[in-house]
Amino acid sequence: MPRFLDTHTGQFVWIGDPSNKQYAVLSHLWRSAAEVGLPEQTYDDIRRIQVAAAGARDKKSSVWSTRLAHLGAKPQTLAEQTSAATSILSHPDLSHKIKEICRVVRDAGYKLLWIDACCIDSKSSLELTEAVNATYALFSRAQVCYVYLMDVPDGDDPTIGPESAFWRSKWHQRAWTLQELIAPAHVEFLSNTWTPLGTKIKLASVLEKITGVDEAVLTGRASVDSVSVARRMWWASRRRARRVEDEAYSLMTIFGVHMQPIYGEGCYAFIRLQEEIIRTIPDQSIFAWGPSCHLRSLDTDGHPLENLEVRNGADFEAHEQGLLAKSPRDFAHAGDVVAMTAEDFATRLAGTSLSGSSLPDRLSPPAYVFTPDGVSVDLPCVDISGLAEALHYVRYQGNTHSDGRPGAVDDKRAHTLALLRCHDKDGRLISLPLFRLPEKDQGLVVGTGPVARNVLIPPARARGDPWRTVRLDADVLDAARGYFLDTHSLLIHRHYLPSIHATGTDVTDTLMQRVEALEREVRTLREASRLGGTAIESTGTKAWRSLFMHHIIRRLAVLSSKLP
């Protein structure tokens, strides 16, 4: 991916190792063909302009060579004339955006510039994969990142608050711009007339209010890794991408994981991302997504449950849920979730039946086993199956029919609260209510459902919003000590996909689309190996094919098990 634009000529420059070079990068929103003005110019567009300019230069060079020879011009003068003629920055077909950013970067004293739209050959699967996985590092090494805000006018003041156009800019809502905000040390925002609006450091407090990204992270006082997985997902929960897969691919480098992009896999890309994060980062806050309720005690007198998250609750679907989320939007309620170390978690459980000499071994870092049936993991659990009355407050209420009759899985009560190694801002441990549906042969699902208006919370706060996780007060753990808290090996269904519950034809169509996408990747890799003479020979191709077939077989097993 080390292809840059020369800001003096507009020609491409290939840099094998850009880590020891000084360069600038551009962060911007791509203009679509339907929008006013020229669409974003791609690598092929710039190459056509360069070739056209070179052809015109060759015609003129022969004429100039003859004239300069008669005038006795020195060889270096001729070379300078030829060099100047190679510039495409004045070419009428070159976009105004590229001309202006080259001017800004050139005036700042930088010769090299990287722009995602034209410095990546998107037709090359290998180059696209490298770009997706390496963009964060490229931005982090840049001397400066210029953010062009085409919807912010000159003279706008970001410090005045939400009425500022800066606050409302679409740039803050795009998936890919999250890493482009965080990675560079120096970021300078530009208006639609290329006038400076301020830097990331000076506007850090404003940017935290707009994007949710911690000011300490923006200013470099805290690393991204110090933030819980759930909170990082929360940063992305309000952002969107043109392609659903990019909602996952744009987050890979935020978590330090790498995946092969497979455009066409749809929302399964986010499932793969979560699996990679789980394998890489020992942070169970990744499971703490969805709205929460607050269990203050196991006493059935009064109202032991309090609904904590009511905002946007109506957008949360009340159906069976797996361990993994469907998209970053599911983390809209997880902004206050903090990960815990094993030592801190053990301290919180001190005095329970898990305490004692065996506690460190029984709370060792859990190993996750992914199968078509679900995720197998050992978690500390509160067995609430014997608390008949208290159990009424932690239950699953399924969907109802259109005429109001209860659904097939109405009022299924959770029998276990699985404790996660994370807590909220008030120190409450977060747990997952688990139960087994009668129609499922094996595995557990996470209990969710609308909060009962007349039972769970006072009428003044009743909203009927669904909830997924239960936040536990210290009193609940105290009540659990001694006789029903222990570690269990659990098999939890990994995710819920709407296509799983579709008709047989829809399921087949979804599977075939993914198979076709994988087959295209295999063909691209074969072609790249043949043309490039790289080390990706038969062994490597077989490895990729094995990986792709593994995904196909795994998805086929899951989908087939759901067919009627």
Side-chain angles (χ1 to χ4, degrees):
M1 191 185 66
R3 182 187 292 111
F4 294 84
L5 274 180
D6 186 319
T7 59
H8 293 270
T9 65
Q11 297 292 333
F12 286 126
V13 179
W14 188 270
I15 306 295
D17 181 13
S19 62
N20 57 359
K21 297 290 184 180
Q22 291 193 341
Y23 60 89
V25 293
L26 173 67
S27 176
H28 63 124
L29 296 184
W30 284 38
R31 189 190 299 273
S32 66
E35 295 176 319
V36 178
L38 290 174
E40 297 301 325
Q41 291 187 319
T42 65
Y43 169 77
D44 288 338
D45 295 329
I46 302 300
R47 284 296 299 141
R48 280 192 289 269
I49 295 174
Q50 291 172 345
V51 171
R57 179 203 64 198
D58 291 340
K59 292 180 180 179
K60 293 181 179 180
S61 63
S62 59
V63 176
W64 276 105
S65 297
T66 303
R67 293 181 180 178
L68 290 172
H70 285 298
L71 295 174
K74 296 180 181 180
Q76 60 266 32
T77 305
L78 179 59
E80 291 172 359
Q81 178 66 41
T82 304
S83 176
T86 61
S87 175
I88 66 168
L89 295 180
S90 60
H91 197 284
D93 292 341
L94 189 66
S95 71
H96 179 71
K97 179 187 289 187
I98 294 180
K99 291 178 180 178
E100 284 299 298
I101 187 57
C102 282
R103 176 189 61 80
V104 170
V105 173
R106 187 172 60 248
D107 291 346
Y110 300 104
K111 182 179 180 180
L112 299 177
L113 167 66
W114 189 84
I115 307 175
D116 56 355
C118 63
C119 290
I120 302 173
D121 183 2
S122 58
K123 298 193 310 301
S124 169
S125 178
L126 293 178
E127 189 166 324
L128 182 60
T129 298
E130 182 184 1
V132 169
N133 284 278
T135 299
Y136 189 94
L138 187 72
F139 272 72
S140 66
R141 294 170 181 165
Q143 273 59 49
V144 59
C145 170
Y146 290 101
V147 177
Y148 175 61
L149 304 176
M150 62 181 180
D151 51 359
V152 179
D154 189 17
D156 185 77
D157 183 4
T159 63
I160 64 176
E163 59 270 25
S164 165
F166 181 87
W167 283 61
R168 301 190 303 271
S169 176
K170 293 181 179 179
W171 185 86
H172 300 300
Q173 304 167 12
R174 289 300 182 184
W176 285 105
T177 58
L178 177 60
Q179 65 173 349
E180 296 167 6
L181 170 66
I182 296 173
H186 180 59
V187 177
E188 185 168 338
F189 295 92
L190 304 174
S191 70
N192 59 5
T193 59
W194 302 92
T195 303
L197 295 169
T199 65
K200 179 172 74 169
I201 300 299
K202 292 183 178 179
L203 297 174
S205 61
V206 174
L207 290 168
E208 180 180 27
K209 295 175 183 177
I210 298 173
T211 66
V213 180
D214 305 53
E215 183 176 355
V217 173
L218 295 174
T219 57
R221 291 184 286 109
S223 67
V224 177
D225 295 339
S226 66
V227 182
S228 71
V229 169
R231 184 167 176 82
R232 280 181 267 178
M233 288 291 190
W234 175 72
W235 293 345
S237 63
R238 291 174 291 179
R239 294 173 177 264
R240 302 293 181 266
R242 293 183 185 274
R243 305 187 66 166
V244 66
E245 297 90 346
D246 284 335
E247 292 186 358
Y249 302 156
S250 63
L251 293 175
M252 290 193 300
T253 49
I254 296 291
F255 296 100
V257 300
H258 301 282
M259 299 192 316
Q260 171 77 17
I262 308 174
Y263 286 101
E265 64 177 331
C267 58
Y268 187 60
F270 192 67
I271 301 297
R272 286 204 297 136
L273 173 66
Q274 293 172 92
E275 292 178 355
E276 290 300 321
I277 293 173
I278 292 169
R279 293 187 184 101
T280 306
I281 306 175
D283 183 345
Q284 293 183 348
S285 70
I286 192 172
F287 307 129
W289 50 272
S292 297
C293 66
H294 173 198
L295 184 60
R296 293 173 291 188
S297 73
L298 294 179
D299 184 2
T300 58
D301 294 334
H303 299 281
L305 272 180
E306 175 185 2
N307 192 19
L308 290 180
E309 302 284 359
V310 295
R311 54 185 174 84
N312 300 326
D315 297 332
F316 191 80
E317 299 177 5
H319 51 52
E320 67 171 272
Q321 296 292 330
L323 192 62
L324 306 182
K326 300 191 297 296
S327 80
R329 288 182 287 280
D330 288 334
F331 287 84
H333 303 279
D336 65 340
V337 178
V338 180
M340 301 176 66
T341 64
E343 293 75 14
D344 292 339
F345 191 54
T347 301
R348 292 292 299 274
L349 297 182
T352 68
S353 60
L354 283 176
S355 62
S357 60
S358 63
L359 181 60
D361 294 334
R362 299 170 75 180
L363 290 182
S364 59
Y368 301 93
V369 179
F370 295 92
T371 72
D373 293 318
V375 182
S376 179
V377 60
D378 292 344
L379 292 175
C381 296
V382 177
D383 182 3
I384 57 177
S385 58
L387 303 178
E389 295 185 5
L391 183 62
H392 184 67
Y393 298 100
V394 185
R395 66 181 183 178
Y396 176 90
Q397 291 187 339
N399 293 324
T400 58
H401 298 290
S402 58
D403 59 1
R405 293 181 292 107
V409 294
D410 184 63
D411 200 22
K412 294 297 184 296
R413 296 178 177 181
H415 63 76
T416 299
L417 293 180
L419 306 183
L420 302 177
R421 293 185 188 177
C422 54
H423 61 81
D424 63 13
K425 62 182 179 181
D426 296 317
R428 291 185 285 252
L429 282 182
I430 298 177
S431 66
L432 300 177
L434 303 176
F435 70 98
R436 181 176 288 105
L437 292 178
E439 62 268 26
K440 291 188 178 293
D441 296 331
Q442 58 181 334
L444 302 168
V445 293
V446 182
T448 66
V451 176
R453 295 177 184 269
N454 58 345
V455 177
L456 302 181
I457 57 178
R461 295 196 59 190
R463 283 279 305 273
D465 295 330
W467 47 272
R468 178 180 180 272
T469 61
V470 179
R471 303 189 178 193
L472 308 175
D473 263 357
D475 291 344
V476 175
L477 288 180
D478 289 339
R481 295 185 180 190
Y483 58 97
F484 58 88
L485 178 61
D486 205 349
T487 296
H488 295 282
S489 180
L490 306 173
L491 178 64
I492 306 175
H493 288 276
R494 76 167 67 175
H495 56 78
Y496 171 93
L497 291 176
S499 59
I500 290 178
H501 295 282
T503 63
T505 302
D506 293 337
V507 172
T508 302
D509 291 344
T510 300
L511 179 61
M512 290 306 300
Q513 290 173 2
R514 290 174 182 160
V515 170
E516 291 172 358
L518 295 175
E519 289 177 342
R520 286 197 298 270
E521 293 295 324
V522 173
R523 288 196 298 270
T524 302
L525 284 170
R526 286 176 177 170
E527 185 66 13
S529 175
R530 184 181 66 82
L531 296 178
T534 65
I536 309 177
E537 297 176 2
S538 58
T539 302
T541 305
K542 289 179 181 178
W544 282 115
R545 186 186 301 114
S546 176
L547 173 63
F548 295 146
M549 291 305 300
H550 170 72
H551 285 304
I552 294 174
I553 294 172
R554 184 170 62 181
R555 293 299 303 135
L556 181 60
V558 174
L559 294 172
S560 298
S561 66
K562 302 296 181 181
L563 289 173

